[in-house]
Amino acid sequence: MTTPAPGPRTAQKTIAGQDTAAENYLKTIYAHTEWQPDPITPSALAARLGVAPSSVTEMVKKLAAAGLITHVPYGPLTLTPDGRLRAVGVVRRHRLIETWLVREMGYEWDEVHDEAEVLEHAVSERLLDAIDERLGRPVQDPHGDPIPSAAGVVPDFDAVLLADAAPGHEGHVVRISDRDPELLRTLAESGIGPGTAVRVETAEEAGYDPIALGDGVVLAVTDAVGTPPVEIAPASLDAIWLSC
């Protein structure tokens, strides 16, 4: 199942002299609702971007004036159809670049985010399409994040957050947030990545100290004999999606 992004490419709007900053804002607003349904607030946006609330207020006004977001004072931020199309375009560039860096340039999956943050604003559509074609038109990046098509269609995967998966849940890892490189390295050391078959276990089932694990869980790899289970701390439970 796919979700089309409305509006033609020609409807994308620009903010003169502020394209990079505007794209970062739009991408962050879009990415926020990829992991949960609630729209982002200005204060949360400021925290995610590491900028002052006053900077967010100024940019929000400009984005709203350009028809890219809708916003009421002190309320959450919502992308307009044009804003969503622009955001999806940036996400596409970012995730294709990450995939290219891993497959073609020898980067590890925990090293590509910052590089892609820079390159996503510089790569041309012609080069991006060439990268996409060379990679075989992938639908997921190295972290499992969906890669939008050139037409703005975003692949949709049936999945549940690890935070919402009950003990005993079995499935394949669908996607993992790249916000924590240490988590990516830990999972890679245990052979866990997109496509890995796993089972959610309690501390007792896995032989771990329940007090030390706290509200975390354990992921046991089910398709590799002898692979030790991995402790997932509470803070990372909303960073992993499993198939339903």
Side-chain angles (χ1 to χ4, degrees), residues 29-84:
I29 294 169
Y30 173 84
H32 179 79
T33 54
E34 281 193 295
W35 292 84
Q36 52 76 57
D38 298 326
I40 196 167
T41 63
S43 60
L45 181 59
R48 287 285 297 273
L49 292 171
V51 299
S54 57
S55 297
V56 170
T57 299
E58 181 180 355
M59 180 58 79
V60 163
K61 290 178 180 177
K62 293 175 180 178
L63 293 174
L68 298 172
I69 65 171
T70 57
H71 172 57
V72 295
Y74 308 107
L77 310 173
T78 304
L79 294 171
T80 65
D82 283 352
R84 184 182 184 280

Side-chain angles (χ1 to χ4, degrees), residues 88-175:
V88 166
V90 183
V91 168
R92 167 177 162 79
R93 296 201 299 271
H94 183 97
R95 293 175 182 173
L96 273 175
I97 290 168
E98 287 192 332
T99 308
W100 173 67
L101 290 173
V102 169
R103 292 193 191 177
E104 303 283 335
M105 305 304 292
Y107 280 69
E108 298 296 333
W109 70 337
D110 59 296
E111 300 174 325
V112 295
H113 179 75
D114 289 345
E115 292 279 9
E117 285 286 296
V118 176
L119 294 172
E120 69 189 30
H121 303 292
V123 66
S124 68
E125 289 299 319
R126 179 181 178 184
L127 176 56
L128 190 71
D129 187 65
I131 291 172
D132 192 17
E133 182 177 9
R134 179 175 178 83
L135 296 175
R137 309 291 184 189
V139 296
Q140 288 178 279
D141 74 4
H143 313 103
D145 292 325
I147 299 175
S149 71
V153 177
V154 183
D156 186 24
F157 309 108
D158 290 330
V160 60
L161 272 178
L162 180 56
D164 299 325
H169 180 95
E170 293 189 7
H172 289 80
V173 175
V174 174
R175 62 189 299 201

